[in-house]
Amino acid sequence: MLNPKKKEYLRASEILKLYKEGRRDFSGVVCNNDSFDNFDLHGIIFKKANLSYCGFHSTNLEGADLSGAILEWTGFVRANLKHANFEKVRAVWSRFNEAQFEKTNMRGADVSWSLFFDTNLFGGADLTGAVGVDTIATDPSQITDEGMKKIGRTARKNAWKDRSGIIYSSGFGYEINSRKG
C-alpha cells in the first residue's frame, strides 16, 4: 500500500528561503495567513497547495502553477499573473484588484464573491467553466447589499478576538477590526 504524501506546513519566509535556494515545487504545501507581498516568485509551483488568507500583493507570479490550490480570502492585488495556471483553484472571497492577466488559465476555477477591480480579466484570462463569475465585482458599483451581508456573515465565522476585545478577520488580505461593545 502506498503512503500518501504527508502535508508540508511552511511559513512564507521558509518558502521564500527555499525558493531563493532553487526549489520551485511546493505542491500540496499548507501556508495560511502569511505574506508573499512584493516578491519575485515567477515559475513557482503551488499545485493543490492551501494558501488561504495569504497576500501576494505586487508579487510576480508569472508562469506560476497554482492549479487545484485553495486560495480563500487571498489577495493578489497588483500581482503579475501573466501565463499563470489557476485551473480549478478555489479562490472565493479573494481580491485580484489591478492584477495583470495575460493568457492566464482560470478554467474551472471557483472565483465566487471575489473582486477584480481595474483588471483585464475578461480579455486576459480563460474563464471557461469557471464558477461564480456571476458573483464577482469588476467595479465598486457592482458590490450589492446582499454581497456585503454575506461578507459580514462569512467574516464573523472566520474571526478571532484578542485580549482587549478587538475582533479581527483576515478577509481580503487586510484586517477588519471593531470593538465589541
Side-chain angles (χ1 to χ4, degrees):
M1 180 169 169
L2 294 173
N3 288 333
K5 185 177 176 183
K6 195 173 182 181
K7 286 189 189 237
E8 185 176 17
Y9 294 85
L10 295 173
R11 303 292 305 156
S13 58
E14 295 169 309
I15 292 170
L16 295 169
K17 180 180 180 281
L18 292 166
Y19 181 88
K20 287 178 182 176
E21 292 172 356
R23 180 173 166 187
R24 294 296 179 265
D25 192 347
F26 295 90
S27 295
V29 75
V30 177
C31 178
N32 299 135
N33 200 28
D34 216 334
S35 174
F36 294 89
D37 296 354
N38 300 303
F39 286 100
D40 181 0
L41 297 174
H42 70 279
I44 197 164
I45 301 167
F46 280 129
K47 287 182 181 180
K48 297 186 179 180
N50 184 334
L51 303 168
S52 293
Y53 301 98
C54 284
F56 290 88
H57 300 252
S58 299
T59 300
N60 180 10
L61 291 167
E62 187 165 353
D65 186 351
L66 290 94
S67 58
I70 301 170
L71 307 168
E72 296 179 8
W73 296 87
T74 299
F76 294 95
V77 175
R78 289 189 233 37
N80 176 355
L81 305 178
K82 295 176 181 175
H83 304 278
N85 184 3
F86 280 75
E87 187 168 7
K88 296 184 180 175
V89 300
R90 180 168 167 77
V92 299
W93 302 104
S94 294
R95 286 194 314 164
F96 293 86
N97 300 345
E98 299 178 53
Q100 302 167 30
F101 295 93
E102 182 181 296
K103 296 184 180 175
T104 305
N105 179 2
M106 297 187 89
R107 297 172 65 96
D110 186 349
V111 293
S112 300
W113 302 99
S114 292
L115 303 177
F116 291 87
F117 301 167
D118 300 317
T119 69
N120 64 332
L121 174 67
F122 296 111
D126 181 353
L127 293 162
T128 305
V131 176
V133 176
D134 58 331
T135 65
I136 68 170
T138 57
D139 183 86
S141 68
Q142 296 171 326
I143 297 175
T144 63
D145 287 338
E146 175 196 0
M148 290 303 293
K149 287 176 186 172
K150 190 161 178 98
I151 286 172
R153 287 190 304 271
T154 305
R156 280 190 291 278
K157 286 180 190 173
N158 296 314
W160 65 93
K161 190 188 305 185
D162 73 6
R163 291 182 188 160
S164 65
I166 297 177
I167 299 170
Y168 294 91
S169 177
S170 42
F172 293 119
Y174 58 83
E175 291 181 346
I176 302 168
N177 63 51
S178 64
R179 286 211 184 264
K180 188 172 181 176

